[in-house]
Amino acid sequence: MKYVHVGINVTDLDQSVAFYSKLFGTNPVKKKADYAKFLLDAPGLNLTLNLVDAVSGNQVNHFGFQVERADEVLVHQKRLEDAGLPIAKVEADTTCCYAVQDKFWVVDPDGNEWEFFYTKQDADVRSIQTDSSCCTA
């Protein structure tokens, strides 16, 4: 397998292209009036944005990037802040999804949540937080 493919419905293609260009640090490889495609080598991701009239909330739980080292979380956080994306939440030493993690979250124009996280260790409980996005139904 070369790429994971994710197709997201969006209501404002230009606004979403701007968000994802900042999120990924690159422009789409293809853009039409109702479609845009990002192709990332690391991680191997084929993400398409498909223009629709309306979306209703976050249709998936969330998306995320797991990094290899703890300092990478801060590197990506600074990169996105410098690109003008607001950071929705920062969590340090949070127990979520049966793991202890450092992470931060950004939200795309249609409400889809993206986390950047580093897993420090496994945990025996799903979560000790009541407001963590990754563990909500």
Side-chain angles (χ1 to χ4, degrees):
M1 290 183 272
K2 187 170 181 176
Y3 295 102
V4 171
H5 172 62
V6 175
I8 299 176
N9 291 335
V10 302
T11 57
D12 184 321
L13 188 64
D14 290 334
Q15 188 177 19
S16 293
V17 165
F19 174 87
Y20 284 101
S21 293
K22 291 175 183 175
L23 182 68
F24 299 142
T26 189
N27 292 318
V29 296
K30 184 185 294 185
K31 185 171 184 288
K32 305 292 183 183
D34 60 350
Y35 174 88
K37 176 181 177 180
F38 289 87
L39 200 56
L40 308 177
D41 288 329
L45 175 65
N46 173 337
L47 178 88
T48 57
L49 306 176
N50 303 281
L51 186 61
V52 297
D53 291 333
V55 297
S56 179
N58 195 359
Q59 298 299 307
V60 298
N61 187 283
H62 68 280
F63 301 102
F65 298 99
Q66 183 173 2
V67 298
E68 293 184 53
R69 297 182 328 272
D71 65 317
E72 288 181 84
V73 172
L74 297 175
V75 168
H76 286 290
Q77 183 178 340
K78 180 174 180 353
R79 176 181 67 80
L80 296 179
E81 287 172 331
D82 290 349
L85 290 184
I87 304 302
K89 185 191 294 191
V90 176
E91 299 174 279
D93 291 319
T94 187
T95 300
C96 180
C97 303
Y98 299 98
V100 178
Q101 303 169 336
D102 287 344
K103 62 175 77 184
F104 73 91
W105 298 83
V106 293
V107 180
D108 82 1
D110 287 295
N112 292 298
E113 298 173 312
W114 287 82
E115 70 174 322
F116 284 76
F117 67 98
Y118 173 72
T119 299
K120 296 177 173 184
Q121 64 189 43
D122 286 337
D124 292 330
V125 295
R126 181 177 174 103
S127 176
I128 57 173
Q129 286 78 6
T130 58
D131 64 344
S132 183
S133 296
C134 82
C135 294
T136 59

